[in-house]
Structures are given as structure tokens and as C-alpha cells.
Amino acid sequence: MLQQVLRILQEDQIPQSLQKFEQFKIQNDGAKVLLERANTLSQSDTEMVCRWIINSIEISLENKCLAYNLLGCILDDDDEKIENFRHAFNLAIKNNFDISNPLINIQKVYLRQQKYEKVINCFKYSAPLQGQYKIEALQNVAEAYLGLKQIVQCIDSSKKAYKVSKSLFGINDSKTKEMGENLQLMINNDNLRQTRYLSNQKQNHARRQIYNCYGVGSQVDKRRSLFKNQQLFEVYRKRSNTANQTKVGFSRTERIKNKLLDLSMEEQKLQIIHNNEEKEDENQFKTQGATQRKGPKNNLHIYQLKSQNENNISQQDKMIYIQGYLIQQFLIESAQKEINFRVDDKLFQYQIRSKSVQKETETFEFFQKIQRALDQVTIFLFTCQSQQEAIKIVTILRQDKINKQFSLQLNLQEFELILSSEIDLNDFQCYSNLQKQASKLKSNICQIILIARFALSVNIESMQLQFLEFANNSKYFQLFKEQFQIILGFNPDANIIDPKIKQLQLREEQFEIIVSQPQLKIGSKMMFAVDCTIQFWMNTKTQTINEVEQKVMNIKGQINQIFFSSLKLVLNDSNQIKVWQNFLYQFYQNNPKEGFNINTELVIDLKGEPNLIDEKYKLIEQDLKEFQCKRMSFQVQENIAKILSEKQQYEKRFKSSLGIIAQSIGKCLIQIVGVKDSNIEVDIYINDETKFENISKQLQQEFFSELNHHVEKNLEIKDLYTFIGLSKEQFLEQYQVVVSKCQKEYHFISLNQYLDQIKIIIINTQKYKKENRKTKILECPNILVFNLLKEQQIQQSSIPNDDIQIIYSQNQKIILQGINEQELGNKLKSISQSIQQLENQLTSITCTFQEKQVKFFEKHFKQYCNNLENDRKASIKFHKKINYSLISQVLNSSKSLQLVQTNVILLECDAIVNFIIQSEDKTTMSDLSKRIIDFGGQIYQKSVLNQIKNFNKTQKQFDINTYEFSSFRNIHYIINVVTSPQFTKNIYHYETIKQILDGLFLHIKDSLDIRSLAMTILDDTENQYSDNYSLEIYLKTIINHLFNDNQTIKKVYLAEEKNSRIVQMNSILLNISKCYQPKYQWQWQHYNAFVNYDEDANKQIDEAYERFLQSGQETIIQLKFPLEKKPSTHFVDLQSFTIKDLSSQIEYEIVHNKNIQNNQDRYFINNKLLNEDLIQYFNAMKKKNHLQFEIFWKNLNVVINNQRIFQMNNETQYQRAIQKLPSQQEIKVANQQIAYQLSINSNQESQNQFQIESFNQNLNKNILKEIKQFLESSTIKLKVDIPQISEKNLNSFCQYLETIAQKIIGKIIQGQQIQIVIFKNKQQKLLNQLEQIKNFASYYPKKWIKQEENYIKVPLQCNSKEYNKIIGEFKKTDIGKIKAIFRIQNKTLWNNYIIERNKLFEICEKQNKNLLPIEKKRYLWHGVSSQHPKVIYTSLAEAFDVTFSKVGLWGQGIYFAENASYSRNYSYKLTNEDDSKYANNLVFLYCLVTTGKAEKKIQSVDIRKPSEGYDSVTGLTRGSNIFVLYQMHVRRVYPAYEVIFS
């Protein structure tokens, strides 16, 4: 067996090997083989092996110890390394294994972390160490003592290590020799150190100067005098040449030498500073002048700080206040310039001394700079009533607008506001006389400090009062914020918008105006949104909210005007005004009538996208020139003219008829405008003057000649409405008639065709009234039945029947009128029976399509539906209905799991899952599976039977297959999951559920491109589910798969019809939503190993342990386990009523009877009544006819007290030890950023069904076939390239595609191509959206010239603004001469930059982190000394690559500088081969960088990334601010320009 597994190992199949080890139960032998071969495995395989060994019960502790140690070696995280090494060490200690490896490894990690004390503490366990391990442990301790600067102890440990090495390997061994050299070097260095002595005070002061200047580049020969030890100097020189190497890469010898070097440099500098200070005359410090300058001999300059008596600020307090604000900067600058700068905290002086005669001029200039700064500084104080008030005032005063107002009112040029509590005590570590007072000042938490600089002297008392007044008034400041969004149909041009916004900001300087970059609104006609914010700090004492709101509304209007261009078209001609207002306005619907009157003028105000309103302006102008209005008069009967002149709104009765005539002419309007004498006046609007005569003739013939008048006496108009079953308005509209009553006469005016019908209706109305006829009305609900009855009535109309009159009205009402009420009732009954008979003859087909298909058909095929009713006696009914009830949902980003109450086949989604759980006889399946099979149709049924038949021939546990439907179904696929009868027995076990769902989601991932999936609960033939535990596993596994980043499914429906199941599932979701996070992983002892409790038991013990910690009292709990938990403990046989303990094989009798009181089943074992859960479980299994089954049934207690924690079997009293480890959840929800929305209970309507109805089923089928053909001919398959857009916009684009596409083929991934099936009428809209998206995503700078290629380099003209702007930035810090500047236009790199920049913006938006404009976009310099920078800007993939960069002052990253003078040191020198024109000149890059929030960090080569909440790292070196971007962020840089200079 082992040989078989070894063969698998040779094929690098680690997972299969682990399974075989477990299958053959040779885990321990397998572990030995794997550990021996660990060096041949990949890191991931090694980690898998180690974790398998650690978690396996059957493997020996010795192998576990080795696995823990190996795992610690391969992991990257130091904390994880330490944890695993400790596990290995503890196992080794307890079981007398070799502790050498884990102990040495722990020391190494602590050394790397510079935790030197812990390295030394580890050594106390080193007694068992032998040979090389002893040497290495001693060397680690020596290095730790060196790190702590404890040289004597370091030498002592090194001597011990050397002694051991010499005895083991001899004095000539290379390692022994190297150790001897290192030891001698330390001894020599210590001897030198012993000869020097400095007081603590001076050492601290000097060290501060050394630390500030350490690492500043200078010539090696200038340093030589620092090293009396030549050997150390050689080390220093060698180290200077490799300054860019990382500390991690140094050998132990190099690390020791470098550390000694640092110590030596520090001691030598301390000695020099001490010697110089000893020579100074102490009396000079007692002088009280403002400044003194000593002669060239001493090169000493002194600034004496003065107190501010006007507001009671002493010299000491003033020195403390300005330390962080001003002095720290000068200390850094002095170190960079190699000038001695000393703070005397006793005499309150600043002393500056040059290091050499050559630097005297520079030193004096530096002193003058300090003198000017300190002369200008004045301190003001304001004490608040509480710390909260102080914080509030400072926060307000630091706001940009308030800050600016504050500086203007007090005439401050440069100032800083701080709280006393913000004083940094670290700034005073070297100044003992200031420390105590600084701490005292810091404790004054209610005080605000204003540090101001004035070019001219000021009245301190007056300024102090102004400061107090402003600070007091700031209490009344309140922020007013107005936020709104501008929705645009176009992407606004930033080159136009930004300058206008800036001008508006300048005009309204009291207000802060923030306008965001446009964001995409994919799927909307108005595709772009701009977020706007107007902020104003109002003084509630002097300003009202109404005043501020009025000003803000004014600014809001101005912002809208900037985005929406405006064109005004002024009309003076009255005819044009009339044409526009009455006719043309309707063809420009964005702004109806779009104008306003000013005296006799009409102003048409057009607003919108500039190019669109320009086009609109031209069209309106053209229409106004071409169209004219001509008024014509048509003579009518005098009575008609008279009646119409007295009626109001009569013209709308003839609007339909006149509209039909106008439509036959073209773009025309015919409008009755009045009556004059016996004429009706009509306005005709048309753009062809030659057509007026023809229109006049047509109107006369078709309308006015046909317009007639009828008078009726003795008529009750209500009787007429009742007779025909219409309301008054319905009658007037249907017959296009004007009705007027004059005394007792009714006048009807209409066209002859309508008047004839009205006359007949009047005759019948009068006749039936005279005969006192009764009326009965019957509503016919079905239009087909109504039309058929109406048709039969028409055919029978040749047979006169004066007794009963039947009228079929338009609203499906049948009106019966007759003299004899009994005959009328009989006729009504007869017609009702006919309706019933005809309704029974109707046949129908209910069709379930996609909702978008049904809506499209209803909208675009109305005429077809009307023709069906009129010509083919068939109808199509569209109706909304409740598709499902949304109970609860789980959300994560754009994905969701929805618990819905519905029949799964009614849902509209890409696929549904049919769980076919076979019973033992393989003949029955659940009702739900049968319904899904019926829903699928005959072809699907055959495929399912074939799948089951083929599957049953195999030995597989389950099989998954997919069936695809045609386009016209509410789903695309059914995924069949068929299980074997044997597998079905354990269908509710955790492993079984997980296997099925893992297989299902893997099948979907590998075989299908779907975004929505409907599932049911795993069900057996009895439609029973056992317990919450299995359901919880089922739900958690689905959630884990759904929210996996690699899963393309966006939505999963979990469908269930039964209300009891819904309640159960909702309750389980509630439990999952509580997101239990175990505090510990509890384990019970199994022989010599410990085994994890499952999650449920772990939670119970966690809660008990928490109660124990709170109470301090012994805590005992009884563990509750799910009965299906594996491995089982008992076998139950309800046929023979026995239960067998599987471990002891002892069998017990089960006594079964019924409770006399309630007739409920009861079960007893050993005369003990079983608990309710077990009784219910037995009854459920009996109901399912499962009479033999296994259960997990144990009566276990957990006891927690001060002595120990253990588990006890209540039956046997057997005890097992329990231990706790850091928590490791076996089953957990994949992503913790999940939102649970529970008990929503909202009904979701859909319109994905319609019904075809007729009297012939074959006709129904033919109609369905025609509908499918219509829909098929209306669709088109398109190829779509997914644009390079942000994840947020990609999700929106995906949602948009899902709303318009009937089918999506392929994965929606940036840069990929997919195919979609959509309706042809949506094609242009989609293409327009894609064009807008691509233009937005690939929005190249306006200054770029057009290019076909991906990359071009464009020379800038010397007189261009672009060129001069870059020169200006260059000359700020560099005196070189620019020879040429080239703009880099690389589309790929620009797209990369935009995507990454937008990602950062989205993250900041989610975190409510506002980036300043400079943080979003700044230009910085970058040099590449080793090769031409074209390797960066010509790339087709990536511009910058950290792996090619050296480790700098802030670690390995890409460095950018504010100062060109800094980056010139890293520039590349051009050769003739590079460019003969510019050979021997230098070249570097001017880059566009989105730094985001930059974190100021102390220099350290170990920095790998910025801290949480920051996006880059910044620092100061050689007078320039430096920005560093690390591996994951380098795409936020675009190499914008290449600059060649000398």
C-alpha cells in the first residue's frame, strides 16, 4: 500500500496521496515519507502536508513537532512563524524531543524583529543544545546584546561561542576563524570606547544631532578622521558602496560589523562634540543680548530667546511652544548642511557653530535664517472652559475657509494653531530642563496655542485681544452644507468646466465649492452624474438660515449654468410666436414651450449639452422660417355657427377628425380657433404654401360639407345614455358630437355619418320609453365570448323581434330591453347559459417567457393582438401576478442569496437545480422533482431518464448534468443532481451536503456562464427534513460558494413553498447572521492527541468558559450534539426495538408505548424516558419507513474549575482532558462583510406569463409558434467587448446587460469579449452606452494629439504653455538647462493609471475619506540612472516594476521627488547610441502621480507598504519631499513627460 502511495507522490499528486494514506490507515508512515521529501515540494504543497500532519489524530507527536517547525519555516508572516515554532518547542519540551531547531528558529525571528530581550530569554532553554546548535544559539545571544549596545555581555557570549567552535571544529576551521576575527574586532572597539566619556546630558544632545544627520551623503575622506580604528574605516567604506542593500541580505559577520560601525561613529561624534563644547567659554552663555557672533576662532553664533511680558509667556514656555513648530525643522536642516546646532535649555539660547572655516559663510547664512524666523515668532494663548470646547474651536479654526478668514482678520501671514495636549514630549527627551515644564503645559488640556509669524513688529496686547474675540465668536460658527447631484447626458469637458468652477469659487470665496469628477450612471439615458457640495461656515449670531439658504441657492444655480450651456432665441415676429406656441413647441419636448414672454417678445431658452443645443437652435430657426400659419374661414349653417359660438371647448370634439386630415398631409396642424358670423375660422400650420389651397378643398369636402345639425324635442338625454350603456363623456367622444340644450330642445352637431347613428339611437330610445320597456345589463368577462355572441346576434338580426332588443356596447356589456319582464329574464338567463357554454369551450395555453420578452411583445405587437380578437377569434392576455414572496436575503457587494416562498419553476433565472434523490427501489422521487421534470417537457424528461439509467450503471455517489432550453423560456438551464440510493441514506450529513454542493458549484464554474441560480432544499422522497444543523450547513456552504471571488453567480434563489419550512430557514439565517466567532478552539483528548470539537460544541464551551471567568465558580454544562453527527455512536433498530453502542457493541432494549393522556409515542432505554428531541427523531424516521439507522447519542458534561477543564461521560464517569488553542473555525461564512436583511416578507410581481385563448387548441399552438417567430426575428446576437472600467462600474454594466439581454454568453471580465442576445430595438442604445463608457474609461487628456498607435512621443514647442510650465517647476530647485521636453502618449499605461486611480477614489469614497486635490493629482520627478527611461514609458503592459528597484531609505518601492535637483542625481546620461542629438545630456521623467493619503514615516529599509488608512509613504531627504509607492500601487503613476537637460 505504501508503495502505491509513493507512486502517486512521484506524480506530485499530494491531495490524492493524503487521501490514500487515510484510506489505508498509514497516516504516520505517510507523514514520515512526506517530511523526508519536504525539500522537493512546492511551498503550497508543503504547507498542505504540514497542516494535514498537525490536524490528523493518528500521526505521532514527534512528526507533529517536525511539521510545526517546518510550517514555521515556510510561512511569511512573523507572528505565524513564532506561533508554529512555539507549538513545536512545547511539544519537544513535553515529550523530550530535540528542541534545537524550533529554539534557534524562534531566536532568528526575534532577531529580525529586533526583539533582543526575547532572544536572550530564549537562551535559558539552551542547556540540551549540542554542537553547532549551541554555537548558533550563543551567536544569536551575542548579536542581541550588540543590538542592546551591551558590549561587555556581547563579547562574553561571543567568547563562549568561539570556545565551543574551537573545541568542536578546531582553530583552523573557517567558521572558527571568522568568529575569532569578529571577537577581536569587538574587543578593539570596546577598548576605544572605554577611553571616552560623556555626561548623559551631553550624550543625549549630541545623539540627537547625529541621528538627524545620519545617512546624509558626503565624501568618505571627510569621515576618515572619525575612525581611529582603520579596520572599522574599511568596513565603513565597503558599506558605503553597498548602501542600497537590505539589512536582511547581510550575513551575520556583516551585521556585526555594521552595528559596530554605527556604535563607533556615534561614539566618535559624541567625543568631537564634547571636545568642542569643552573649549567654549561658559561665560558667553550668560550674556543677555539678542544675538552674539564670536570671532573666526570659535565660529559661534548665539540667539538669545526673549520672554513675552505683554501676555505673560516666559522664555521657557516660549522655547517649548516653538520646539515642534520651528526648531525641529532647523535641527534637521543643520544636520543636512553639517552645521552644529545646539539648544541650550538652561540659558534659553540657540547656538550655531560651523564645522570648518570653509563652511563659515553658509553657517552665518543659516544663523541669519534662524534669527529672522525667531524674531518674527509671537505666541498667543486662549483658555477654554473645557477640553471639548477647546477641541471644537481648534477644529473649526482649522477649516480652510475659517482659517483664511482668521488669517485675514488678524493679518497673519504664517501661523499654526495647536492644543496644549498636542505638545509632543518626545521633542524634549534630550532637554531635561524643558521636560517637566513641557509635561505641565501639555496637561493644560483646555488651552489653545497660536504660534504666529509677523514680518513687522505688532502690538501683542491688541493682537491677543483680537485672537480672544475671534476664538470666542467661533463658538457660534455652524457648518451649512448643501449636497446635490447634476445628471448629464454627456461627459462634461473638464478643460471648460474646471476653470469656470474656479472662477465661481474666487467670486464666492466665503463658500467652499466642491465638484467631483463625472461618474458613470450605466443604463440611464443621462449617463453621467456629478456630485456637488456647497459648504459655508455661518455665524449663527449674525446670520439667519434663510439668508444662507438664499445665497446657496444662487450658487447652485450658477453651477447648473456652468454645466448646462444656454442659448436664447428671441422672437419678435407675432406670426412666428404664434407658430411656436401653438404648433412647433410640441416637436421639441425636452422643455415644453421652452420660452417666456418679455413684453411683445418671446424668448426661447435652450439648455443642455453644447453641441445638442446648437443643433436644436438651428432646427428651430429653420422651422420658424419655413412654417407659417394661415387662417381660413368656412361657411356653415347659421344654427351650427350660433350654437358653437355659445359652447366652450367644442373644438376638441372635432380634433380627431381634423387630425386625420392633417396626418394625411404631413407635418401639419389644423385647428378650429373660433366662430365669426356664420363662418368657422381655422388656423392651418404648414411649411409649404402651395398646399394651402388643396388643404382648403379637402377640409370643405371631408369635414365642413359633412358637418350637420339635428334637433330633437321631448328627449331626456339621460335616457339615451342609459339606452346605449355609455356615460356622457363616452357618448360625446365616440360620436364626435356637440350637444347643446336650448329650452326643451336638444341640438346635436356632428358629421353626417355620426348623426345618422345618433338619430337611430334616439328613435329607439323614445320608442322603448314609450312602451315602458325594462332594461337589464349583463357583463361578459371574456372578449372572445362577447364577440362571438355579438356576431351571432348580427346573423340573427334578419329575424325581427320587437319584444326584446339586445345591444352589445363597447365595454363588453350586453344590454337587454323588453316589455315583458318575464321574457326579459328568460332571455337574460339564456344568454348567461350561452356565455357559460362558450367559456367551457375555450381552450388556453399559459406561456412562461422572460419578463423582458413578454413586455416587448405586448408593447410592439398590439395590432397583432387586436387582429387575433377580430379575425381569428383568439386573444392574448397579459397580466401581472405575484411571482414570489421575498422572505429574507443575504447581501455582499453585488451578490445576493434570497430566501423566497414560491414554486421554483415560476422564477425567472439562468438555471434551476433539480435534486433527484433516489430511493432504495430507484423508482420513486420527490413531488418537487416530478414537477420540475413535467415543466421541462418531453425532451427534457427523456434526457433525465437517460441520465438516471446511465448513472445507475456506475459506482459514483452522485452525478451532475445540464439540460439547455430554447430562448423562449423563463430559464436557460436545468442542472440535474442525481444521487445513488446508498448516498441518499446520508443525505443530511455534513460531508454529504458539502460534497454535493461543492460538486454542483464546481460544475457551474467549469461548464456554465450563469449569473442567477434557483435552488430548493435537498429533499428526499418523503419531503421531510431532519434538523436545523444540516440546514445550517447547507446554507453556509451555499453562502461560501456564492460569495467566493472566483464565482460568477451573482444571485441565488432558495425557493420553498411550505410556510413551516420558510419559518425554519428564516430562523437559521438569523443564527448565521449573528456571525459566531469562537474565542478559542477547544479540543478533547483522544489517546495521546487532541481533537477539535465541532463548531456547535465549541460555542457551548466558549459560553461556559466566559461564565466561569465572570463568576469564578465551577461551571458544568451538558453538551448538545446533532443526532446526525458523524461518526455515529449508536445503531438503532426500530423493528426489533434495540439500540447498540458501536464502540462497546453492548445492545440495549428500547421500550415503546404511548402516553395515555395525549396518545403520544414514548421510548425508554434502561427504564429512562428519552428526551423529546430523540423521540421526535425516532418518529420522523418511522414515518419515512427508515427503521434502521445510526445516531450520535452521548451524555457528556464539560466541567470547568480553577484546577482543570475536562469532559465526563455521565454513563461511565470516564473523564477526558480538554485544552484550548487560538480559534480556527472549520466552517465559517466566507466573507465577513455580509449584510443580512431578515423577515422582509415583500411580494415581488412579475409579468413573465401570458395566456393564449381560443376555441381551438391547434390555433393556440399555431399562435404560440407565430409569437416565437416574431420574437426570434426581433432579436440579434451581438459581440460585446467589455470595457476597462472600475469594479463598481463593471457591476453596474453587468446589471445593465442583464436588464436588456435575453441571454449572455461568456464571463463579464474587463477586456474580455462576450456574446449577447438582445432585441434589435435595443441595439443602438447599447452601442451608444458602450461608446460613452469607452470614451469615459479611455478619456485621454485634451492636449494629446490624435494617434493610431498605442504609443507615441510628442516634442513640446518651446513657446507653449505646457513647455513653460514644466520649465518653471524645474527651475524652482535646479539651475540646469532644459534641452527638450517630450510628452508621452501611451494609451495602455494611461488606461492602467485611470483604472487604478479610480479604484483608489472608490475606496476613499466607501471609507468617507476625502482626498485633497493635490492628493489626487500631482507631478513629481523620477530618475532612472541605470538605463534609458524609455523602458518605462514604451511598455505595453506596466510602466513601473518594484522588482527592478533597489532598496532605498523607505524600503523597496518606486521613489518620486518634489525637487528636480534631487532626481537629477538619479538621471540617465544619454549616449550617441541612445540619441546622437542629445548625447552627453541627462534625462529623467516628470510623472503624474496619485499619491492619495501619504504617511510620513521615519527612514527604514524594512518598510514594505504604508500603514492602514494611507496610500503611500513620504519623507524628507536632502531638502526634498519624497513620495514612495509600493508594489501594489505603482499603476497610480503615469510617466507623463521625458525631460532632457544639462
Side-chain angles (χ1 to χ4, degrees), residues 116-131:
Y116 300 126
E117 291 87 353
K118 291 191 175 184
V119 177
I120 296 165
N121 288 338
C122 286
F123 190 68
K124 65 185 179 182
Y125 299 101
S126 66
L129 298 188
Q130 300 293 326

Side-chain angles (χ1 to χ4, degrees), residues 887-922:
I887 306 301
S888 296
Q889 61 182 349
V890 185
L891 305 173
N892 184 330
S893 184
S894 60
K895 296 183 178 183
S896 66
L897 169 69
Q898 294 189 346
L899 176 62
V900 297
Q901 188 167 13
T902 187
N903 185 343
V904 70
I905 60 178
L906 297 179
L907 291 167
E908 182 177 324
C909 56
D910 290 333
I912 62 174
V913 181
N914 186 8
F915 291 113
I916 303 172
I917 312 297
Q918 290 194 93
S919 61
E920 291 188 27
D921 59 7
K922 301 183 181 178

Side-chain angles (χ1 to χ4, degrees), residues 1200-1428:
I1200 306 172
N1201 55 41
N1202 290 320
Q1203 283 72 41
R1204 62 193 185 115
I1205 305 174
F1206 60 92
Q1207 171 187 296
M1208 184 172 69
N1209 189 317
N1210 289 334
E1211 300 293 333
T1212 64
Q1213 301 300 305
Y1214 183 78
Q1215 297 181 3
R1216 296 178 186 270
I1218 295 177
Q1219 71 173 11
K1220 59 181 171 64
L1221 295 174
S1223 66
Q1224 295 176 347
Q1225 279 184 285
E1226 183 182 358
I1227 305 168
K1228 60 182 178 181
V1229 174
N1231 191 316
Q1232 296 304 319
Q1233 293 183 345
I1234 291 178
Y1236 291 84
Q1237 297 178 355
L1238 305 177
S1239 302
I1240 299 170
N1241 300 325
S1242 68
N1243 292 328
Q1244 306 294 309
E1245 287 187 343
S1246 70
Q1247 190 178 333
N1248 64 347
Q1249 286 188 338
F1250 61 90
Q1251 190 179 62
I1252 305 171
E1253 193 174 50
S1254 75
F1255 295 99
N1256 186 326
Q1257 187 70 359
N1258 288 329
L1259 176 61
N1260 292 341
K1261 292 177 180 178
N1262 289 334
I1263 291 171
L1264 177 59
K1265 190 175 180 180
E1266 288 175 7
I1267 290 172
K1268 288 182 178 180
Q1269 288 172 350
F1270 290 149
L1271 290 173
E1272 189 73 48
S1273 63
S1274 302
T1275 60
I1276 187 173
K1277 184 181 279 189
L1278 293 178
K1279 291 181 179 178
V1280 176
D1281 293 318
I1282 306 300
Q1284 296 280 358
I1285 50 181
S1286 68
E1287 185 179 348
K1288 177 182 176 182
N1289 286 330
L1290 186 64
N1291 287 332
S1292 299
F1293 183 64
C1294 179
Q1295 291 169 8
Y1296 169 63
L1297 286 182
E1298 288 171 357
T1299 60
I1300 64 166
Q1302 296 170 55
K1303 192 171 185 180
I1304 301 172
I1305 306 160
K1307 290 183 171 65
I1308 301 177
I1309 302 171
Q1310 291 179 358
Q1312 298 293 315
Q1313 189 180 76
I1314 62 169
Q1315 288 185 318
I1316 64 169
V1317 179
I1318 63 168
F1319 289 114
K1320 290 176 182 177
N1321 68 325
K1322 300 285 186 182
Q1323 179 181 357
Q1324 193 56 49
K1325 181 182 177 183
L1326 173 62
L1327 295 177
N1328 291 340
Q1329 289 266 328
L1330 276 171
E1331 187 64 28
Q1332 290 272 38
I1333 292 168
K1334 287 178 180 177
N1335 289 340
F1336 179 82
S1338 302
Y1339 179 72
Y1340 302 116
K1342 288 284 184 184
K1343 54 197 170 192
W1344 281 22
I1345 64 172
K1346 290 184 179 180
Q1347 64 188 87
E1348 297 297 328
E1349 307 89 339
N1350 181 65
Y1351 153 75
I1352 61 172
K1353 190 165 82 169
V1354 182
L1356 299 188
Q1357 298 299 317
C1358 295
N1359 57 353
S1360 69
K1361 288 183 179 179
E1362 194 176 1
Y1363 185 93
N1364 289 326
K1365 187 175 181 179
I1366 296 170
I1367 278 191
E1369 292 300 319
F1370 178 84
K1371 288 187 174 179
K1372 283 182 179 179
T1373 60
D1374 201 297
I1375 59 173
K1377 184 176 181 182
I1378 287 183
K1379 303 290 186 179
I1381 302 175
F1382 296 90
R1383 185 195 311 122
I1384 308 302
Q1385 297 186 189
N1386 187 317
K1387 291 181 178 178
T1388 300
L1389 300 186
W1390 179 261
N1391 291 341
N1392 290 345
Y1393 167 72
I1394 292 297
I1395 290 170
E1396 290 302 314
R1397 182 199 69 178
N1398 290 344
K1399 277 184 185 177
L1400 176 64
F1401 291 171
E1402 284 181 17
I1403 291 169
C1404 291
E1405 185 180 342
K1406 287 178 183 177
Q1407 297 174 346
N1408 293 322
K1409 183 168 68 175
N1410 294 322
L1411 293 180
L1412 299 173
I1414 193 68
E1415 293 169 334
K1416 294 179 180 179
K1417 173 182 175 181
R1418 68 172 98 217
Y1419 282 91
L1420 300 169
W1421 305 93
H1422 178 77
V1424 186
S1425 58
S1426 58
Q1427 53 188 327
H1428 196 294

Side-chain angles (χ1 to χ4, degrees), residues 424-455:
D424 189 352
L425 297 180
N426 291 324
D427 292 341
F428 306 98
Q429 286 182 350
C430 300
Y431 312 111
S432 57
N433 289 316
L434 298 179
Q435 262 184 334
K436 187 175 180 181
Q437 180 65 8
S439 179
K440 183 179 178 182
L441 293 177
K442 182 180 177 69
S443 65
N444 188 358
I445 56 177
C446 301
Q447 187 167 267
I448 300 172
I449 306 159
L450 169 62
I451 307 171
R453 291 176 66 173
F454 300 96

Side-chain angles (χ1 to χ4, degrees), residues 155 183-193 229 231:
I155 292 172
L183 179 59
Q184 191 59 48
L185 184 64
M186 284 186 277
I187 292 170
N188 293 343
N189 186 72
D190 188 52
N191 292 336
L192 287 173
R193 190 179 65 83
N229 186 328
Q231 187 178 9

